[in-house]
Amino acid sequence: MTLRDSRPVPAAALALTAALLLAGCEAAETGDPPTGPEPAASGGRAVSPLENEEGTGPGLAPVSSGADREKARGIIEEVVTKGRGPRTGYDRDEFGYAWMDTADGVPLARNGCDTRNDLLARDGRRLRFRSGSDCVVVSMTLADPYTGEEIAWKKRDAAEVQIDHVVPLSYAWQMGASRWPEDKRERFANDPLNLLPVDGSANSAKGDSGPAAWLPPSKRIRCAYAVRFAQVALEYGMPVTAADKRVMLRQCGG
């Protein structure tokens, strides 16, 4: 799979899109299909990973139908497996400084906004920006994909919403990123495909775990999460552990 071309999106246009769209741990081995009504926090905005291969659409919608779950398993099956290597030498700075806007080769790069604010604007609703800025988000509501809860977020409580690397940086390092060139690691760390604004406590609980050790608390989103994990791995030619792949398939009925 080849890396995508960079297509900068003006911050003002991103904010306008978000405004227009306004209308309107249990055992990781579980494979139970989701049941019950759609969580109220979904807001109708979240996009299925099957329809969002660039990661430019908001959120992470459930993968529910039989046909879609079959397609999801096909994507996961493409991922190769390998044992997890040592964490030796890992440092966050090996992936560039946090939320850099200059990581070429990914959507939203070089648009004048840092990656964190790009992602808040992509997924948030009822956005408010800092006075005089069309970039810095100071408040919003977020339909958290991991818990199914709606979060009323303000910048003064910044840690309440964190940007999760679906495939954690440390995990990637142990699965081969330690040998990647610097620019590839920078793309990986700032690629919207690999980034989701989520509940801060859920993200902290995840740490650098793969799917065999951690899955989102909301069962109905777990197949979608597995698909997104696989999409990132395939995009960057990165393996996952055999245990992680088994769990990922199980979330989609495999």
Short mmCIF file of all heavy atoms in Angstrom, two decimals, residues 97-149:
data_model
loop_
_atom_site.label_atom_id
_atom_site.label_comp_id
_atom_site.label_asym_id
_atom_site.label_seq_id
_atom_site.Cartn_x
_atom_site.Cartn_y
_atom_site.Cartn_z
N TYR A 97 8.31 16.31 16.84
CA TYR A 97 7.69 17.01 17.98
C TYR A 97 6.17 16.87 17.88
O TYR A 97 5.60 16.72 16.80
CB TYR A 97 8.14 18.46 18.05
CG TYR A 97 7.72 19.35 16.91
CD1 TYR A 97 6.48 19.99 16.90
CD2 TYR A 97 8.57 19.56 15.82
CE1 TYR A 97 6.10 20.81 15.86
CE2 TYR A 97 8.20 20.39 14.77
CZ TYR A 97 6.97 21.00 14.79
OH TYR A 97 6.59 21.82 13.75
N ALA A 98 5.52 16.95 19.02
CA ALA A 98 4.09 16.62 19.09
C ALA A 98 3.24 17.57 18.24
O ALA A 98 3.37 18.79 18.33
CB ALA A 98 3.63 16.66 20.54
N TRP A 99 2.40 16.98 17.42
CA TRP A 99 1.36 17.64 16.65
C TRP A 99 1.90 18.65 15.64
O TRP A 99 1.31 19.69 15.40
CB TRP A 99 0.33 18.29 17.58
CG TRP A 99 -0.14 17.39 18.67
CD1 TRP A 99 -0.22 17.68 20.00
CD2 TRP A 99 -0.59 16.03 18.54
NE1 TRP A 99 -0.67 16.60 20.70
CE2 TRP A 99 -0.91 15.57 19.84
CE3 TRP A 99 -0.73 15.16 17.47
CZ2 TRP A 99 -1.37 14.28 20.09
CZ3 TRP A 99 -1.19 13.86 17.71
CH2 TRP A 99 -1.51 13.45 19.01
N MET A 100 3.02 18.28 15.03
CA MET A 100 3.62 19.13 14.02
C MET A 100 2.72 19.26 12.79
O MET A 100 2.02 18.32 12.42
CB MET A 100 4.99 18.57 13.63
CG MET A 100 4.94 17.18 13.00
SD MET A 100 6.58 16.40 12.88
CE MET A 100 7.46 17.57 11.88
N ASP A 101 2.74 20.42 12.17
CA ASP A 101 1.93 20.67 10.98
C ASP A 101 2.72 20.45 9.71
O ASP A 101 2.22 20.70 8.61
CB ASP A 101 1.39 22.12 11.03
CG ASP A 101 0.44 22.43 9.89
OD1 ASP A 101 -0.39 21.57 9.54
OD2 ASP A 101 0.53 23.55 9.33
N THR A 102 3.95 19.99 9.83
CA THR A 102 4.84 19.92 8.67
C THR A 102 5.19 18.49 8.27
O THR A 102 6.18 18.28 7.56
CB THR A 102 6.14 20.69 8.96
OG1 THR A 102 6.74 20.19 10.17
CG2 THR A 102 5.85 22.18 9.12
N ALA A 103 4.40 17.52 8.71
CA ALA A 103 4.63 16.12 8.33
C ALA A 103 4.03 15.89 6.95
O ALA A 103 2.83 15.69 6.81
CB ALA A 103 4.03 15.17 9.35
N ASP A 104 4.85 15.92 5.92
CA ASP A 104 4.35 15.80 4.55
C ASP A 104 3.84 14.39 4.28
O ASP A 104 4.26 13.41 4.89
CB ASP A 104 5.46 16.14 3.56
CG ASP A 104 5.82 17.61 3.58
OD1 ASP A 104 4.93 18.44 3.85
OD2 ASP A 104 7.00 17.94 3.33
N GLY A 105 2.91 14.30 3.33
CA GLY A 105 2.41 13.00 2.89
C GLY A 105 1.14 12.55 3.57
O GLY A 105 0.70 11.43 3.35
N VAL A 106 0.54 13.41 4.40
CA VAL A 106 -0.70 13.05 5.06
C VAL A 106 -1.72 14.18 4.89
O VAL A 106 -1.33 15.34 4.72
CB VAL A 106 -0.50 12.75 6.57
CG1 VAL A 106 0.35 11.51 6.76
CG2 VAL A 106 0.11 13.94 7.30
N PRO A 107 -3.01 13.88 4.93
CA PRO A 107 -4.02 14.94 4.84
C PRO A 107 -3.87 15.94 5.98
O PRO A 107 -3.40 15.59 7.07
CB PRO A 107 -5.34 14.17 4.96
CG PRO A 107 -5.02 12.78 4.55
CD PRO A 107 -3.61 12.53 5.01
N LEU A 108 -4.25 17.16 5.72
CA LEU A 108 -4.30 18.26 6.69
C LEU A 108 -2.94 18.85 7.03
O LEU A 108 -2.85 19.80 7.80
CB LEU A 108 -5.00 17.83 8.00
CG LEU A 108 -6.37 17.16 7.85
CD1 LEU A 108 -6.96 16.87 9.23
CD2 LEU A 108 -7.32 18.00 7.03
N ALA A 109 -1.85 18.30 6.46
CA ALA A 109 -0.53 18.86 6.74
C ALA A 109 -0.38 20.24 6.10
O ALA A 109 -0.97 20.53 5.07
CB ALA A 109 0.56 17.93 6.22
N ARG A 110 0.41 21.09 6.76
CA ARG A 110 0.75 22.42 6.26
C ARG A 110 -0.49 23.27 5.95
O ARG A 110 -0.55 23.98 4.95
CB ARG A 110 1.66 22.31 5.03
CG ARG A 110 2.99 21.62 5.33
CD ARG A 110 3.92 21.60 4.14
NE ARG A 110 5.15 20.88 4.45
CZ ARG A 110 6.22 21.41 5.04
NH1 ARG A 110 6.18 22.67 5.42
NH2 ARG A 110 7.29 20.66 5.28
N ASN A 111 -1.46 23.20 6.84
CA ASN A 111 -2.66 24.03 6.66
C ASN A 111 -2.72 25.16 7.67
O ASN A 111 -3.73 25.86 7.77
CB ASN A 111 -3.93 23.17 6.75
CG ASN A 111 -4.16 22.60 8.15
OD1 ASN A 111 -3.31 22.72 9.04
ND2 ASN A 111 -5.30 21.96 8.35
N GLY A 112 -1.65 25.34 8.45
CA GLY A 112 -1.60 26.44 9.40
C GLY A 112 -2.07 26.09 10.79
O GLY A 112 -1.96 26.91 11.71
N CYS A 113 -2.63 24.89 10.96
CA CYS A 113 -3.09 24.44 12.28
C CYS A 113 -2.30 23.20 12.68
O CYS A 113 -1.97 22.36 11.84
CB CYS A 113 -4.57 24.08 12.26
SG CYS A 113 -5.67 25.48 12.07
N ASP A 114 -2.00 23.08 13.98
CA ASP A 114 -1.32 21.86 14.41
C ASP A 114 -2.28 20.67 14.36
O ASP A 114 -3.50 20.83 14.27
CB ASP A 114 -0.72 22.02 15.82
CG ASP A 114 -1.77 22.24 16.89
OD1 ASP A 114 -2.59 21.33 17.13
OD2 ASP A 114 -1.77 23.32 17.52
N THR A 115 -1.71 19.48 14.40
CA THR A 115 -2.50 18.26 14.21
C THR A 115 -3.59 18.11 15.25
O THR A 115 -4.71 17.70 14.94
CB THR A 115 -1.57 17.02 14.25
OG1 THR A 115 -0.55 17.18 13.26
CG2 THR A 115 -2.34 15.74 13.97
N ARG A 116 -3.29 18.44 16.51
CA ARG A 116 -4.30 18.28 17.57
C ARG A 116 -5.54 19.11 17.26
O ARG A 116 -6.67 18.62 17.33
CB ARG A 116 -3.73 18.68 18.92
CG ARG A 116 -4.76 18.63 20.05
CD ARG A 116 -4.17 18.99 21.40
NE ARG A 116 -5.23 19.19 22.39
CZ ARG A 116 -5.81 18.21 23.08
NH1 ARG A 116 -5.45 16.96 22.88
NH2 ARG A 116 -6.76 18.48 23.95
N ASN A 117 -5.36 20.38 16.91
CA ASN A 117 -6.51 21.24 16.62
C ASN A 117 -7.24 20.79 15.36
O ASN A 117 -8.46 20.89 15.27
CB ASN A 117 -6.08 22.70 16.52
CG ASN A 117 -5.93 23.34 17.89
OD1 ASN A 117 -6.89 23.45 18.63
ND2 ASN A 117 -4.71 23.74 18.23
N ASP A 118 -6.50 20.28 14.38
CA ASP A 118 -7.15 19.72 13.19
C ASP A 118 -8.11 18.60 13.58
O ASP A 118 -9.22 18.50 13.05
CB ASP A 118 -6.10 19.16 12.22
CG ASP A 118 -5.44 20.22 11.37
OD1 ASP A 118 -6.04 21.29 11.17
OD2 ASP A 118 -4.32 19.97 10.89
N LEU A 119 -7.67 17.74 14.49
CA LEU A 119 -8.49 16.59 14.87
C LEU A 119 -9.68 16.99 15.73
O LEU A 119 -10.77 16.44 15.60
CB LEU A 119 -7.63 15.55 15.59
CG LEU A 119 -6.92 14.51 14.70
CD1 LEU A 119 -7.93 13.61 14.04
CD2 LEU A 119 -6.03 15.15 13.66
N LEU A 120 -9.49 17.97 16.60
CA LEU A 120 -10.61 18.48 17.40
C LEU A 120 -11.67 19.08 16.47
O LEU A 120 -12.87 18.86 16.67
CB LEU A 120 -10.13 19.52 18.40
CG LEU A 120 -9.18 19.03 19.50
CD1 LEU A 120 -8.76 20.20 20.39
CD2 LEU A 120 -9.81 17.92 20.35
N ALA A 121 -11.23 19.83 15.47
CA ALA A 121 -12.17 20.44 14.52
C ALA A 121 -12.84 19.39 13.65
O ALA A 121 -14.02 19.53 13.29
CB ALA A 121 -11.45 21.47 13.65
N ARG A 122 -12.12 18.32 13.31
CA ARG A 122 -12.70 17.25 12.49
C ARG A 122 -13.83 16.54 13.22
O ARG A 122 -14.88 16.25 12.64
CB ARG A 122 -11.61 16.25 12.11
CG ARG A 122 -12.07 15.14 11.17
CD ARG A 122 -11.08 13.98 11.11
NE ARG A 122 -11.05 13.23 12.37
CZ ARG A 122 -10.25 12.20 12.61
NH1 ARG A 122 -9.37 11.81 11.69
NH2 ARG A 122 -10.29 11.58 13.77
N ASP A 123 -13.63 16.24 14.48
CA ASP A 123 -14.57 15.37 15.20
C ASP A 123 -15.51 16.11 16.14
O ASP A 123 -16.54 15.56 16.55
CB ASP A 123 -13.80 14.33 16.02
CG ASP A 123 -13.14 13.28 15.14
OD1 ASP A 123 -13.00 13.52 13.93
OD2 ASP A 123 -12.76 12.22 15.66
N GLY A 124 -15.17 17.34 16.50
CA GLY A 124 -15.99 18.07 17.48
C GLY A 124 -17.24 18.68 16.85
O GLY A 124 -17.33 18.89 15.65
N ARG A 125 -18.19 18.97 17.71
CA ARG A 125 -19.41 19.71 17.33
C ARG A 125 -19.53 20.93 18.24
O ARG A 125 -18.93 20.99 19.29
CB ARG A 125 -20.65 18.82 17.48
CG ARG A 125 -20.67 17.65 16.51
CD ARG A 125 -21.93 16.80 16.68
NE ARG A 125 -21.95 16.12 17.97
CZ ARG A 125 -22.93 16.21 18.85
NH1 ARG A 125 -23.97 16.97 18.61
NH2 ARG A 125 -22.87 15.54 19.98
N ARG A 126 -20.34 21.88 17.78
CA ARG A 126 -20.50 23.13 18.52
C ARG A 126 -19.13 23.73 18.85
O ARG A 126 -18.83 24.09 20.00
CB ARG A 126 -21.35 22.92 19.78
CG ARG A 126 -22.80 22.54 19.45
CD ARG A 126 -23.70 22.58 20.65
NE ARG A 126 -23.55 21.41 21.50
CZ ARG A 126 -24.16 20.26 21.30
NH1 ARG A 126 -24.99 20.11 20.26
NH2 ARG A 126 -23.99 19.24 22.12
N LEU A 127 -18.32 23.84 17.83
CA LEU A 127 -16.95 24.33 17.99
C LEU A 127 -16.91 25.82 18.30
O LEU A 127 -17.65 26.61 17.72
CB LEU A 127 -16.17 24.09 16.69
CG LEU A 127 -15.94 22.65 16.26
CD1 LEU A 127 -15.48 22.61 14.81
CD2 LEU A 127 -14.93 21.96 17.15
N ARG A 128 -16.04 26.18 19.22
CA ARG A 128 -15.70 27.58 19.47
C ARG A 128 -14.20 27.72 19.37
O ARG A 128 -13.45 26.90 19.89
CB ARG A 128 -16.18 28.03 20.85
CG ARG A 128 -17.70 28.12 21.00
CD ARG A 128 -18.05 28.73 22.34
NE ARG A 128 -17.48 30.06 22.49
CZ ARG A 128 -17.32 30.67 23.67
NH1 ARG A 128 -17.67 30.07 24.80
NH2 ARG A 128 -16.79 31.88 23.73
N PHE A 129 -13.76 28.78 18.69
CA PHE A 129 -12.34 29.01 18.48
C PHE A 129 -11.86 30.20 19.31
O PHE A 129 -12.64 31.07 19.69
CB PHE A 129 -12.06 29.26 16.99
CG PHE A 129 -12.33 28.08 16.12
CD1 PHE A 129 -13.61 27.86 15.60
CD2 PHE A 129 -11.34 27.18 15.82
CE1 PHE A 129 -13.87 26.77 14.79
CE2 PHE A 129 -11.58 26.08 15.01
CZ PHE A 129 -12.86 25.87 14.50
N ARG A 130 -10.57 30.20 19.60
CA ARG A 130 -9.96 31.32 20.30
C ARG A 130 -10.22 32.60 19.52
O ARG A 130 -10.20 32.61 18.28
CB ARG A 130 -8.47 31.09 20.46
CG ARG A 130 -7.72 32.22 21.15
CD ARG A 130 -6.23 31.94 21.21
NE ARG A 130 -5.97 30.83 22.12
CZ ARG A 130 -4.80 30.20 22.20
NH1 ARG A 130 -3.81 30.55 21.38
NH2 ARG A 130 -4.63 29.22 23.06
N SER A 131 -10.46 33.68 20.24
CA SER A 131 -10.74 34.97 19.60
C SER A 131 -9.61 35.32 18.64
O SER A 131 -8.42 35.27 18.98
CB SER A 131 -10.87 36.06 20.67
OG SER A 131 -11.08 37.32 20.07
N GLY A 132 -9.98 35.64 17.41
CA GLY A 132 -9.01 36.00 16.40
C GLY A 132 -8.38 34.84 15.68
O GLY A 132 -7.50 35.03 14.84
N SER A 133 -8.82 33.60 15.99
CA SER A 133 -8.23 32.41 15.38
C SER A 133 -9.32 31.56 14.76
O SER A 133 -10.43 31.46 15.28
CB SER A 133 -7.49 31.58 16.44
OG SER A 133 -7.08 30.33 15.91
N ASP A 134 -9.00 30.95 13.61
CA ASP A 134 -9.90 29.95 13.04
C ASP A 134 -9.27 28.57 13.17
O ASP A 134 -9.61 27.65 12.45
CB ASP A 134 -10.24 30.26 11.58
CG ASP A 134 -9.00 30.28 10.67
OD1 ASP A 134 -7.87 30.12 11.18
OD2 ASP A 134 -9.17 30.47 9.45
N CYS A 135 -8.37 28.44 14.13
CA CYS A 135 -7.60 27.21 14.28
C CYS A 135 -7.70 26.62 15.69
O CYS A 135 -8.00 25.44 15.86
CB CYS A 135 -6.14 27.48 13.95
SG CYS A 135 -5.04 26.08 14.18
N VAL A 136 -7.47 27.43 16.71
CA VAL A 136 -7.35 26.93 18.09
C VAL A 136 -8.73 26.73 18.70
O VAL A 136 -9.46 27.70 18.97
CB VAL A 136 -6.51 27.88 18.96
CG1 VAL A 136 -6.40 27.32 20.39
CG2 VAL A 136 -5.13 28.07 18.36
N VAL A 137 -9.11 25.47 18.89
CA VAL A 137 -10.42 25.13 19.46
C VAL A 137 -10.36 25.33 20.98
O VAL A 137 -9.47 24.80 21.65
CB VAL A 137 -10.79 23.67 19.14
CG1 VAL A 137 -12.14 23.32 19.74
CG2 VAL A 137 -10.80 23.44 17.64
N VAL A 138 -11.31 26.09 21.51
CA VAL A 138 -11.34 26.34 22.97
C VAL A 138 -12.50 25.63 23.65
O VAL A 138 -12.47 25.44 24.86
CB VAL A 138 -11.35 27.84 23.29
CG1 VAL A 138 -10.08 28.51 22.80
CG2 VAL A 138 -12.59 28.52 22.71
N SER A 139 -13.50 25.21 22.89
CA SER A 139 -14.58 24.41 23.46
C SER A 139 -15.32 23.69 22.35
O SER A 139 -15.31 24.11 21.19
CB SER A 139 -15.55 25.27 24.28
OG SER A 139 -16.31 26.11 23.45
N MET A 140 -15.95 22.57 22.72
CA MET A 140 -16.68 21.76 21.75
C MET A 140 -17.42 20.68 22.51
O MET A 140 -17.25 20.50 23.72
CB MET A 140 -15.72 21.10 20.76
CG MET A 140 -14.79 20.11 21.42
SD MET A 140 -13.79 19.17 20.25
CE MET A 140 -13.08 17.94 21.35
N THR A 141 -18.25 19.94 21.80
CA THR A 141 -18.77 18.68 22.33
C THR A 141 -18.21 17.56 21.46
O THR A 141 -18.05 17.72 20.25
CB THR A 141 -20.30 18.64 22.33
OG1 THR A 141 -20.77 18.81 20.99
CG2 THR A 141 -20.89 19.71 23.23
N LEU A 142 -17.90 16.45 22.11
CA LEU A 142 -17.32 15.31 21.41
C LEU A 142 -18.14 14.06 21.70
O LEU A 142 -18.38 13.72 22.86
CB LEU A 142 -15.88 15.08 21.86
CG LEU A 142 -15.20 13.83 21.26
CD1 LEU A 142 -14.89 14.07 19.77
CD2 LEU A 142 -13.94 13.47 22.02
N ALA A 143 -18.54 13.37 20.64
CA ALA A 143 -19.14 12.04 20.78
C ALA A 143 -17.99 11.05 20.85
O ALA A 143 -17.40 10.70 19.83
CB ALA A 143 -20.05 11.74 19.60
N ASP A 144 -17.62 10.65 22.06
CA ASP A 144 -16.45 9.80 22.25
C ASP A 144 -16.71 8.40 21.71
O ASP A 144 -17.60 7.70 22.19
CB ASP A 144 -16.09 9.72 23.74
CG ASP A 144 -14.99 8.71 24.00
OD1 ASP A 144 -14.05 8.64 23.19
OD2 ASP A 144 -15.08 7.98 25.00
N PRO A 145 -15.94 7.95 20.73
CA PRO A 145 -16.20 6.62 20.15
C PRO A 145 -15.88 5.49 21.12
O PRO A 145 -16.50 4.43 21.04
CB PRO A 145 -15.27 6.58 18.93
CG PRO A 145 -14.17 7.55 19.24
CD PRO A 145 -14.83 8.63 20.05
N TYR A 146 -14.95 5.68 22.03
CA TYR A 146 -14.50 4.59 22.88
C TYR A 146 -15.48 4.26 24.00
O TYR A 146 -15.62 3.10 24.39
CB TYR A 146 -13.13 4.91 23.47
CG TYR A 146 -11.99 4.82 22.48
CD1 TYR A 146 -10.69 5.16 22.86
CD2 TYR A 146 -12.18 4.39 21.17
CE1 TYR A 146 -9.63 5.08 21.95
CE2 TYR A 146 -11.14 4.31 20.27
CZ TYR A 146 -9.87 4.66 20.66
OH TYR A 146 -8.82 4.58 19.78
N THR A 147 -16.16 5.26 24.52
CA THR A 147 -17.08 5.03 25.64
C THR A 147 -18.54 5.20 25.26
O THR A 147 -19.43 4.76 26.00
CB THR A 147 -16.77 5.99 26.80
OG1 THR A 147 -17.04 7.34 26.38
CG2 THR A 147 -15.32 5.86 27.26
N GLY A 148 -18.81 5.85 24.13
CA GLY A 148 -20.19 6.14 23.74
C GLY A 148 -20.78 7.32 24.47
O GLY A 148 -21.96 7.61 24.33
N GLU A 149 -19.97 8.02 25.25
CA GLU A 149 -20.44 9.17 26.02
C GLU A 149 -20.22 10.46 25.24
O GLU A 149 -19.33 10.54 24.38
CB GLU A 149 -19.71 9.25 27.36
CG GLU A 149 -19.90 8.05 28.26
CD GLU A 149 -21.33 7.86 28.71
OE1 GLU A 149 -22.00 8.90 28.93
OE2 GLU A 149 -21.78 6.71 28.83
#
